[in-house]
Amino acid sequence: MENSETPHLVAEALRRLIQQKMREVTKHNIVRHESFAERLDDLMRRYMLQQLTSAQVIAELAAMAAEISAEARRGEHFDPPLSHAELAFYDAVAHRNMAELIAGGDDTLARIARALVKDIRENLSVDWLSREPVRAKLRSRIRRVLAKFDYPPEEERKAVDLVLKQMETFAQEWAPKAK
């Protein structure tokens, strides 16, 4: 592919492969999906504006592909390892260098993610997506979990919104069936 006569086609094929892999790996992780999508769009925009050569964009795309492949195993770096759901909620509460602001850093954020997943799964109702009072109760539960781990109050609103947004990606899998 490096010696191709049509490097722009190679770059486009790599971009499509990366998008496909990104959708697979970050299927339920809104934060990471948005981050990768933004970076990919920026890279392709710079290429279209001829700020990068074909060789540079192909090298950048290859590096990004390796990073996305490594993303699938990122939860294994925690002790104990985080499931894909816990990792998604970890990313929701770990926005803006939160590990530096919270005592215990990444370990505390991982404990928050585990507690959120456990609490949410235990207390999810069939109508949580459609009824605002039920969503308000969920927001309250999320705030309690965050407060329990001394999450900074000034960052709480953003974290609650991200956690709710993250929950929506798991709605089909986690929603209890109506009886």
Side-chain angles (χ1 to χ4, degrees):
M1 286 208 309
E2 291 177 11
N3 298 328
S4 175
E5 292 180 22
T6 55
H8 58 283
L9 292 178
V10 172
E12 180 61 22
L14 271 173
R15 183 191 66 80
R16 286 183 183 201
L17 284 171
I18 287 172
Q19 277 185 322
Q20 180 182 356
K21 186 67 173 174
M22 185 175 61
R23 276 193 295 272
E24 291 170 16
V25 171
T26 62
K27 178 180 177 184
H28 291 295
N29 193 331
I30 286 182
V31 175
R32 295 299 282 186
H33 181 80
E34 287 177 357
S35 169
F36 281 131
E38 191 176 291
R39 287 178 44 209
L40 183 60
D41 289 346
D42 181 56
L43 181 64
M44 294 312 290
R45 188 177 323 102
R46 289 180 21 225
Y47 176 59
M48 292 299 157
L49 293 173
Q50 297 181 351
Q51 294 173 346
L52 296 173
T53 65
S54 296
Q56 288 172 320
V57 80
I58 290 170
E60 291 277 340
L61 286 169
M64 190 175 207
E67 190 178 337
I68 289 171
S69 292
E71 174 71 17
R73 297 177 303 281
R74 192 166 58 97
E76 297 169 7
H77 301 295
F78 293 91
D79 186 33
L82 294 175
S83 69
H84 74 283
E86 292 168 342
L87 188 60
F89 285 96
Y90 169 87
D91 288 332
V93 296
H95 68 284
R96 290 199 214 140
N97 301 324
M98 290 307 295
E100 297 168 5
L101 298 175
I102 293 182
D106 286 332
D107 292 336
T108 301
L109 291 172
R111 289 199 329 266
I112 291 172
R114 286 185 188 96
L116 281 170
V117 169
K118 182 176 184 268
D119 190 72
I120 289 167
R121 289 189 98 165
E122 288 174 357
N123 296 295
L124 208 56
S125 64
V126 176
D127 56 355
W128 76 271
L129 270 171
S130 59
R131 293 189 50 218
E132 191 54 39
V134 177
R135 288 176 70 89
K137 191 182 283 187
L138 274 173
R139 273 193 289 279
S140 174
R141 296 193 72 81
I142 293 166
R143 279 193 199 94
R144 271 191 237 131
V145 170
L146 294 175
K148 177 178 162 186
F149 291 96
D150 296 325
Y151 198 84
E154 61 275 1
E155 299 292 333
E156 183 181 281
R157 180 184 208 103
K158 172 92 169 144
V160 169
D161 291 342
L162 277 172
V163 167
L164 281 172
K165 195 173 174 184
Q166 190 63 63
M167 282 175 59
E168 291 170 6
T169 67
F170 287 101
Q172 293 264 291
E173 292 177 31
W174 288 4
K177 305 297 180 224
K179 294 180 182 175

